[in-house]
C-alpha cells in the first residue's frame, strides 16, 4: 500500500474521468436490460407472440447472470458495442 500526495486539480480530474454521466448510465442500464430480455425471450416456452407474458424455466435469470459475469470479465464495455 502506498500513499501519494497530489495537487487537488489532479485528483479532481481522475475522479471526473471515472464517474459516468447520467446519459452513459442510462444507456448502460438500457443495454443490460435489453440483453436480459433477449436472453430470457429465447427460452420462452409459451410462445408468447401477441401475449404480454413470457414463460421461461426457473433458472433462466441465473444462467443469464452467469453469462453476463463471464462477458463483463472479458470486456467490461461489451454491452455498449452494439
Amino acid at each position: 500500500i502506498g500513499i501519494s500526495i497530489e495537487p487537488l486539480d489532479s485528483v479532481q480530474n481522475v475522479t471526473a474521468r471515472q464517474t459516468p454521466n447520467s446519459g452513459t448510465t442510462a444507456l448502460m442500464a438500457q443495454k443490460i436490460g435489453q440483453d436480459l430480455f433477449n436472453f430470457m425471450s429465447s427460452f420462452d416456452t409459451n410462445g408468447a407472440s401477441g401475449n404480454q407474458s413470457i414463460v421461461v424455466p426457473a433458472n433462466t435469470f441465473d444462467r443469464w447472470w452467469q453469462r453476463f459475469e463471464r462477458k463483463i470479465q472479458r470486456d467490461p464495455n461489451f454491452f455498449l458495442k452494439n
Side-chain angles (χ1 to χ4, degrees):
I1 297 177
I3 297 175
S4 175
I5 299 176
E6 302 290 335
L8 183 57
D9 292 339
S10 180
V11 174
Q12 287 173 334
N13 288 338
V14 169
T15 304
R17 282 184 295 200
Q18 292 177 347
T19 306
N21 63 36
S22 61
T24 303
T25 303
L27 178 62
M28 288 178 3
Q30 182 180 22
K31 295 284 189 173
I32 292 169
Q34 187 66 49
D35 186 67
L36 173 59
F37 178 79
N38 292 342
F39 185 80
M40 293 187 85
S41 294
S42 72
F43 290 94
D44 183 12
T45 60
N46 195 26
S49 57
N51 196 352
Q52 292 298 317
S53 61
I54 297 173
V55 179
V56 296
N59 68 344
T60 302
F61 180 80
D62 293 331
R63 291 168 65 184
W64 173 81
W65 186 250
Q66 291 168 356
R67 179 179 147 266
F68 183 82
E69 286 182 323
R70 283 191 308 269
K71 286 175 128 180
I72 206 102
Q73 285 176 352
R74 283 190 307 248
D75 181 6
N77 295 313
F78 79 92
F79 48 85
L80 296 175
K81 293 184 177 178
N82 293 333

